[in-house]
C-alpha cells in the first residue's frame, strides 16, 4: 500500500513538474512589419539579442523577407529540451554552410544550430568566447580565456580552431590580451586585442596568425582598446579603437594587409561599430564621457575608395533622434537597405530599425533585450514540424 501511494505521489510530482516546464516555454511572437517580397536571394536574417549580463536572457529573433513577418524569440519553442535556452550574453552570430553559430560569451560556449530550423545541434565549450570567423573547414573563435572580470593580471587570450565537421576544438593559438573581432585575408587571420580587463593598461595590438602553421607571425602596434574589424575590397583592414573613455577618444585605424602596417589613422572617425557594403563603410559611435557623464552619438559613411567621409549622418529622415543607444548595424548585401538596433536602457526590450539605401525609415519592431548581431541567410527558416 505504501509503495502504491508513493508511486502515485511521484507520478503527480513528475506530471506537475512537466506542466510547469511546458508553461515556461514562451512561444515566439510574430509581427507583420512590412509587405512580403519574393524572388530575392536573401531570404531573411537572424538577430541575436545579447540580454543583460547575468540575466541568462540571450534570445534569437528571425525576419522572413517573403512574408514580411518578424518572429521574436524563436529559440525556446524550437528547442524545448534545451535547459536555460540560449544562455548568458549573445555576443556574435554567423552562418557557415548549413549551420548557424551563436557565441554565448558569459555561458562560455558556441551554440550550433541548423540554419533551416534553428534547432540545437551541439554546444562547443570555449571560455569567455567573443567572435567567430570561418575559412575552409575551420571556424576560428576569439577567447578571453580567463574568467569574466576586470583583473590587472588577466591572462593572454587565444583563438580556438574548431573543425566544422566534427564541431570540436582542434587547436588554440595564444594572442594578445582580451581578443575581440577578427578578419581573414588569404591565409592570414588578424585579431584585434583590447586588453579591456587590464584597464588602464590596455592592449594596443593586432595579432597576425598564419593559418597554415596556426602560429602568430607578426604583432602590429595600432591603438589602445581595439575592438571591431572590417575588410574592404582593396585589402585594407579597418580597426576600431575605443580609447580609454577619458583622455583618449575613439578612432579608426587602417591596416594594409599586404604590408601588415598601419597606413592611416582617422581620429575624426570615432567607431563603436561598423559594417561595410562595397565601398561604403557605415560607422556609428556611442562615446561615453566620464567627464560630462553623457553619451555622444554620431553616424558616418566613409568611402573606402576615395578615402573621404561621404556623409556625417547616414540616417536622413530624423529617425536618429528616436534612437537612444545604437547597438548594432548590418547591411543587406543584395538590396543595400540597412538596419540599426537600439539597446535603449539595456534592461528592457530594444528596437530594430530598417532603413532604405537613402537613409529613410521603412519599418521598426520591438526585439529582445539588447539587440546586437545580425546574420543574413539565403535559406528560408522552415516552419516547426
Amino acid at each position: 500500500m505504501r509503495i502504491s501511494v508513493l508511486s502515485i505521489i511521484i507520478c503527480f510530482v513528475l506530471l506537475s513538474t512537466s506542466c510547469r516546464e511546458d508553461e515556461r516555454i514562451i512561444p515566439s511572437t510574430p509581427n507583420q512589419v512590412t509587405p512580403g517580397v519574393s524572388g530575392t536571394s536573401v531570404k531573411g536574417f537572424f538577430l541575436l539579442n545579447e540580454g543583460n549580463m547575468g540575466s541568462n536572457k540571450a534570445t534569437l529573433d528571425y525576419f522572413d523577407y517573403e512574408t514580411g513577418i518578424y518572429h521574436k524569440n524563436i529559440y525556446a519553442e524550437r528547442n524545448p529540451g534545451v535547459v536555460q535556452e540560449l544562455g548568458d550574453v549573445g555576443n556574435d552570430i554567423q552562418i557557415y554552410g548549413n549551420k548557424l553559430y551563436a557565441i554565448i560569451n558569459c555561458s562560455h560556449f558556441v551554440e550550433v544550430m541548423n540554419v533551416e530550423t534553428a534547432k540545437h545541434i551541439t554546444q562547443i565549450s570555449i571560455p569567455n568566447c567573443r567572435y567567430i570567423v570561418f575559412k575552409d573547414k575551420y571556424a576560428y573563435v576569439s577567447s578571453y580565456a580567463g574568467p569574466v572580470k576586470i583583473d590587472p593580471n588577466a591572462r593572454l587570450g587565444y583563438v580556438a580552431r574548431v573543425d566544422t565537421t566534427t564541431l570540436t576544438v582542434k587547436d588554440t593559438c595564444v594572442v594578445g590580451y582580451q581578443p575581440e573581432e577578427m578578419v581573414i585575408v588569404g591565409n592570414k587571420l588578424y585579431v584585434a586585442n583590447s586588453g579591456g580587463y587590464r584597464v588602464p593598461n590596455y592592449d594596443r595590438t593586432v595579432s597576425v596568425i598564419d593559418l597554415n602553421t596556426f602560429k602568430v607571425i607578426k604583432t602590429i602596434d595600432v591603438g589602445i582598446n581595439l575592438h571591431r574589424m572590417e575588410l574592404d575590397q582593396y585589402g585594407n583592414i579597418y580597426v576600431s579603437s575605443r580609447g580609454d573613455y577619458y583622455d583618449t577618444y575613439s578612432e579608426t585605424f587602417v591596416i594594409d594587409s599586404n604590408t601588415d602596417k598601419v597606413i592611416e589613422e582617422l581620429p575624426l572617425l570615432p567607431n563603436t561599430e561598423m559594417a561595410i557594403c562595397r565601398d561604403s563603410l557605415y560607422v556609428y559611435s556611442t562615446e561615453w564621457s566620464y567627464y560630462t557623464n553623457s553619451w555622444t552619438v554620431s553616424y558616418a559613411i566613409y568611402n573606402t575608395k576615395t578615402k573621404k567621409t561621404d556623409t556625417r549622418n547616414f540616417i536622413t529622415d530624423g529617425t536618429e533622434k528616436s534612437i537612444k543607444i545604437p547597438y548594432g548595424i548590418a547591411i543587406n548585401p543584395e538590396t543595400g537597405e540597412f538596419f540599426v538596433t537600439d539597446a535603449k536602457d539595456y534592461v528592457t526590450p530594444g528596437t530594430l530599425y530598417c532603413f532604405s539605401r537613402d537613409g529613410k525609415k521603412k519599418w521598426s519592431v520591438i526585439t529582445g533585450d539588447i539587440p546586437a548581431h545580425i546574420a543574413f541567410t539565403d535559406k528560408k527558416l522552415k516552419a516547426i514540424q
Side-chain angles (χ1 to χ4, degrees):
M1 182 66 179
R2 288 179 181 174
I3 294 176
S4 177
V5 172
L6 181 59
S7 298
I8 292 172
I9 292 172
I10 290 173
C11 288
F12 177 78
V13 171
L14 289 174
L15 286 171
S16 299
T17 302
S18 176
C19 289
R20 286 197 297 269
E21 288 296 328
D22 290 342
E23 289 171 357
R24 282 200 288 265
I25 297 173
I26 301 173
S28 65
T29 305
N31 291 283
Q32 186 81 48
V33 296
T34 187
V37 295
S38 59
T40 60
S41 59
V42 176
K43 302 303 181 185
F45 63 79
F46 295 92
L47 185 147
L48 181 63
N49 301 284
E50 288 189 1
N52 197 269
M53 184 180 294
S55 66
N56 199 64
K57 289 178 66 176
T59 58
L60 185 66
D61 300 346
Y62 176 78
F63 174 68
D64 188 323
Y65 271 108
E66 291 185 355
T67 64
I69 297 176
Y70 187 89
H71 301 266
K72 180 182 175 183
N73 192 20
I74 67 169
Y75 185 86
E77 67 179 6
R78 288 171 177 265
N79 299 280
V82 177
V83 178
Q84 294 187 333
E85 299 179 19
L86 263 181
D88 194 13
V89 185
N91 209 70
D92 193 15
I93 189 166
Q94 301 292 337
I95 294 168
Y96 195 63
N98 293 317
K99 299 183 182 74
L100 177 66
Y101 298 78
I103 304 295
I104 312 299
N105 175 214
C106 294
S107 289
H108 311 289
F109 61 73
V110 180
E111 168 73 12
V112 186
M113 295 162 274
N114 182 301
V115 73
E116 294 184 273
T117 63
K119 288 188 176 181
H120 168 84
I121 297 174
T122 192
Q123 291 176 351
I124 306 167
S125 179
I126 298 176
N128 214 336
C129 43
R130 299 293 292 174
Y131 296 96
I132 188 168
V133 293
F134 303 89
K135 182 175 174 60
D136 299 329
K137 64 175 289 189
Y138 294 109
Y140 298 91
V141 181
S142 57
S143 167
Y144 280 10
V148 182
K149 67 175 184 178
I150 300 296
D151 180 2
N153 298 310
R155 58 163 289 179
L156 289 165
Y158 65 74
V159 174
R161 174 185 258 175
V162 177
D163 188 318
T164 58
T165 56
T166 63
L167 298 175
T168 55
V169 176
K170 293 300 183 182
D171 201 357
T172 60
C173 178
V174 175
V175 289
Y177 293 103
Q178 291 78 66
E180 301 282 12
E181 287 196 344
M182 303 163 288
V183 297
I184 294 176
V185 185
N187 284 315
K188 293 188 292 187
L189 173 68
Y190 294 80
V191 188
N193 302 306
S194 70
Y197 282 177
R198 296 165 60 89
V199 55
N201 299 314
Y202 294 103
D203 202 326
R204 50 177 299 116
T205 64
V206 166
S207 299
V208 186
I209 299 174
D210 183 337
L211 293 182
N212 292 319
T213 62
F214 204 46
K215 303 292 183 183
V216 173
I217 56 174
K218 190 168 186 177
T219 301
I220 308 170
D221 183 74
V222 182
I224 69 168
N225 199 6
L226 303 178
H227 189 192
R228 308 291 186 182
M229 302 188 93
E230 285 287 347
L231 175 67
D232 72 12
Q233 57 187 342
Y234 309 106
N236 296 316
I237 302 167
Y238 292 79
V239 189
S240 72
S241 165
R242 289 175 286 198
D244 63 4
Y245 315 107
Y246 287 95
D247 301 308
T248 304
Y249 297 103
S250 171
E251 58 182 314
T252 304
F253 293 85
V254 187
I255 296 172
D256 182 342
S257 64
N258 294 305
T259 62
D260 289 342
K261 293 181 179 179
V262 175
I263 57 172
E264 286 187 87
E265 180 178 356
L266 305 172
L268 298 181
L269 195 64
N271 191 333
T272 299
E273 174 66 293
M274 55 184 161
I276 197 166
C277 184
R278 301 179 183 88
D279 289 333
S280 295
L281 183 72
Y282 288 66
V283 182
Y284 74 78
S285 171
T286 53
E287 284 200 272
W288 174 260
S289 171
Y290 286 102
Y291 291 128
T292 62
N293 200 39
S294 64
W295 293 96
T296 299
V297 179
S298 63
Y299 304 87
I301 295 179
Y302 182 81
N303 190 308
T304 59
K305 183 177 182 179
T306 65
K307 306 296 184 183
K308 303 290 184 182
T309 299
D310 285 343
T311 179
R312 284 292 174 181
N313 195 352
F314 49 72
I315 299 174
T316 59
D317 62 358
T319 302
E320 75 279 2
K321 296 174 184 176
S322 300
I323 302 174
K324 186 175 181 181
I325 301 293
Y327 203 78
I329 184 169
I331 307 168
N332 183 316
E334 183 178 8
T335 66
E337 67 180 8
F338 63 91
F339 299 83
V340 177
T341 68
D342 185 358
K344 296 184 177 177
D345 59 4
Y346 295 100
V347 295
T348 55
T351 301
L352 171 69
Y353 292 88
C354 174
F355 295 93
S356 62
R357 294 182 65 174
D358 59 359
K360 292 179 172 55
K361 177 183 169 182
K362 296 177 69 176
W363 53 265
S364 64
V365 67
I366 300 299
T367 65
D369 296 359
I370 315 182
H373 314 284
I374 290 175
F376 294 96
T377 176
D378 60 3
K379 298 177 176 64
K380 183 178 174 65
L381 185 68
K382 294 179 180 178
I384 297 175
Q385 301 297 319

